[in-house]
C-alpha cells in the first residue's frame, strides 16, 4: 500500500544576511516568507506560526486524509 499521507515541510534557507522560511505541502504548493530572519530557529518559528494562521489549509489536509483512509 503506497503512503499517500499528506505532509508539510518547514524549512529555512540562507538568504542575504539571514534565513528565509518556507512551508511546503506534499501536493507541491509552497509558500516562502518575504522576510528574512537572523537565525534558522526564528525562520522556522515564523513559518510554523504562518501555517497556524491558515486553518483552511490544515482542514483541507484533514479532509484529504479522511478520503485516503476510505
Amino acid at each position: 500500500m503506497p503512503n499517500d499521507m499528506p505532509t508539510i515541510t518547514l524549512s529555512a534557507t540562507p538568504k542575504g544576511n539571514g534565513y528565509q522560511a518556507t512551508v511546503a505541502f506534499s501536493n507541491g504548493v509552497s509558500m516562502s516568507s518575504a522576510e528574512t530572519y537572523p537565525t534558522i530557529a526564528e525562520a522556522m518559528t515564523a513559518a510554523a506560526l504562518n501555517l497556524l494562521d491558515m486553518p483552511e489549509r490544515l482542514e483541507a489536509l484533514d479532509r484529504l486524509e479522511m478520503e485516503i483512509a476510505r
Side-chain angles (χ1 to χ4, degrees):
M1 173 188 273
N3 183 4
D4 293 330
M5 180 178 275
T7 59
I8 300 170
T9 305
L10 302 175
S11 62
T13 54
K15 183 171 182 180
N17 291 329
Y19 297 89
Q20 184 177 40
T22 301
V23 177
F25 295 89
S26 56
N27 66 358
V29 174
S30 65
M31 296 166 284
S32 296
S33 64
E35 304 86 10
T36 58
Y37 299 89
T39 67
I40 291 172
E42 289 173 289
M44 296 288 283
T45 299
L49 290 172
N50 285 339
L51 181 60
L52 291 175
D53 285 339
M54 297 183 290
E56 68 282 350
R57 295 249 186 207
L58 298 174
E59 291 165 2
L61 288 174
D62 281 340
R63 285 191 301 274
L64 178 60
E65 180 62 22
M66 288 190 310
E67 289 174 15
I68 290 171
R70 291 184 191 168

